[in-house]
Amino acid sequence: MATQNIIQYLETSQYNALPSGGTVPVGIEAMNRRQIETFIASEAIAVGDTVALDFSKAGSGDKGIFVVKCDDNTATKKCAVGVAISAATAAGDTVDAVIAGMVDNAKVAGATAVGSSMAVSAATVGELALYVAGDTLPVFAIAATAHAGGTATVFVLKQF
């Protein structure tokens, strides 16, 4: 896991080198507030899935590097750490996950408004849902866009 962030990128636009010239906005990929970690998948994981540390692993070191789709109903899959931004087609593949900051295409269940608190869905594995008082897991992200369900842009709150 990363231990430090030294370089800050604070530009909001960049010069367009194409003949049209002008400037273009910088995407969230260059945002210095976004933190990405690489994990090893214990199962197939799709882009947008909320991932959790795999506590079913025997070794304590393995519990901190292997991830599964987060599942509020399974004790070994509750420790949500990020949203996958790359896919793992099988166990053993690496998967990148945003552990803090803005992420597009997070899988969400139901409609939310900008600023809605999101938690791991108790109904669908790997998805986020609107946080309600009494949820067993804490607020994991804040909705950055209004959406009707499917996928949305969210700001992931760092969990560790």
Side-chain angles (χ1 to χ4, degrees):
M1 301 233 173
T3 57
Q4 59 186 326
N5 284 334
I6 298 174
I7 299 172
Q8 289 194 10
Y9 189 78
L10 300 176
E11 300 299 323
T12 58
S13 63
Q14 61 188 7
Y15 178 72
N16 185 351
L18 297 175
S20 61
T23 59
V24 293
V26 174
I28 62 173
E29 295 84 9
M31 189 177 103
N32 72 305
R33 303 296 191 269
R34 180 166 133 155
Q35 296 177 359
I36 299 170
E37 294 287 347
T38 301
F39 297 94
I40 301 171
S42 289
E43 63 186 5
I45 294 173
V47 172
D49 283 340
T50 300
V51 296
L53 295 177
D54 184 359
F55 286 170
S56 71
K57 294 294 183 186
S60 293
D62 287 346
K63 292 176 197 270
I65 192 94
F66 284 87
V67 292
V68 292
K69 291 180 207 171
C70 195
D71 183 359
D72 187 26
N73 300 307
T74 304
T76 58
K77 297 181 176 185
K78 282 188 174 191
C79 188
V81 292
V83 174
I85 58 171
S86 67
T89 56
D93 290 350
T94 59
V95 61
D96 290 336
V98 173
I99 63 166
M102 207 69 74
V103 60
D104 286 329
N105 301 318
K107 291 182 181 179
V108 295
T112 63
V114 174
S116 296
S117 298
M118 308 292 289
V120 171
S121 173
T124 307
V125 174
E127 285 190 359
L128 296 174
L130 192 63
Y131 176 83
V132 292
D135 277 353
T136 59
L137 296 178
V139 173
F140 179 79
I142 306 295
T145 57
H147 56 85
T151 63
T153 300
V154 299
F155 189 93
V156 175
L157 303 173
K158 192 164 186 181
Q159 302 298 306
F160 58 93

